[in-house]
Amino acid sequence: MRLYTHANTNRPMDRIHVLVVTGHRSDKVIKPLDAASIDYTVVTSDADSLVHLNIELARKAISVLAEANIDLILTDHADISAFVSAILSVRHRVPLVVRLGGNIWQINEKKVAEARRDRDFIKYAFIQLLRTLNRLTFAQASGYIVVSTELKGTIVSRTGIAESMVQM
């Protein structure tokens, strides 16, 4: 498990501290935060299994939330770790922002079609579970960071969130 913090030692009191929760490719999230001089703590994991990865992420995020003054949780992707982040957002009363690099609805529709075609009922059930977790996560999200104008429009239409709450 990796945990690292970037903090500006001359941090004004009005600057925010972001908890970044990601199971992979943390550099895609960190580079924009560095460019914006935002203070952040990253929780990530190298665990091989999905179960261990999410347990590690949850355990470390809980620890950071207990020890640090976190103003915002930023989760990367619509996966189980995003759902864990949504639960922590509610529990600790910290706003949640979801970063999406692709159209999760389209991706999941393709995966469901593949599972049906292959008669892979376990995969089908798992994707349906993820879709449910995504709906719950998106209901908790205060905002989104996306990679395209098209995805921004999809999020606004699918979630009902105000366009101003979705940034590229």
Side-chain angles (χ1 to χ4, degrees):
M1 176 180 344
R2 296 183 312 245
L3 170 69
Y4 45 95
T5 301
H6 165 79
N8 181 343
T9 54
N10 299 323
R11 178 182 177 201
M13 294 305 287
D14 62 345
R15 284 185 51 148
I16 66 168
H17 189 155
V18 176
L19 172 59
V20 178
V21 180
T22 180
H24 58 286
R25 300 183 331 203
S26 58
D27 58 309
K28 290 196 176 234
V29 180
I30 293 169
K31 285 179 184 177
L33 295 175
D34 281 339
S37 299
I38 293 175
D39 296 343
Y40 60 84
T41 300
V42 177
V43 175
T44 189
S45 173
D46 292 326
D48 291 335
S49 82
L50 189 62
V51 172
H52 288 119
L53 177 128
N54 286 291
I55 289 171
E56 283 188 27
L57 290 175
R59 192 180 79 229
K60 200 55 175 174
I62 290 167
S63 174
V64 170
L65 285 162
E67 296 170 7
N69 186 18
I70 299 296
D71 301 299
L72 177 82
I73 298 173
L74 172 61
T75 189
D76 186 31
H77 281 345
D79 55 14
I80 295 171
S81 66
F83 179 68
V84 169
S85 298
I87 291 170
L88 294 175
S89 169
V90 171
R91 170 68 178 89
H92 292 273
R93 298 180 182 165
V94 177
L96 175 69
V97 172
V98 178
R99 180 193 173 277
L100 292 175
N103 186 328
I104 194 64
W105 296 275
Q106 193 174 59
I107 292 166
N108 284 339
E109 286 170 15
K110 286 179 183 176
K111 288 181 179 180
V112 164
E114 288 172 11
R116 283 184 178 154
R117 182 195 67 222
D118 298 341
R119 302 182 63 78
D120 186 342
F121 300 113
I122 304 256
K123 181 178 180 179
Y124 178 82
F126 184 72
I127 297 302
Q128 293 296 49
L129 171 65
L130 282 177
R131 289 171 116 176
T132 300
L133 296 179
N134 287 342
R135 279 192 294 279
L136 295 169
T137 300
F138 297 160
Q140 178 57 28
S142 301
Y144 295 85
I145 299 172
V146 298
V147 297
S148 71
T149 305
E150 180 183 343
L151 185 54
K152 180 176 183 173
T154 300
I155 288 173
V156 169
S157 68
R158 291 280 192 146
T159 67
I161 196 162
E163 190 173 329
S164 63
M165 302 308 287
V166 184
Q167 300 297 314
M168 291 193 334

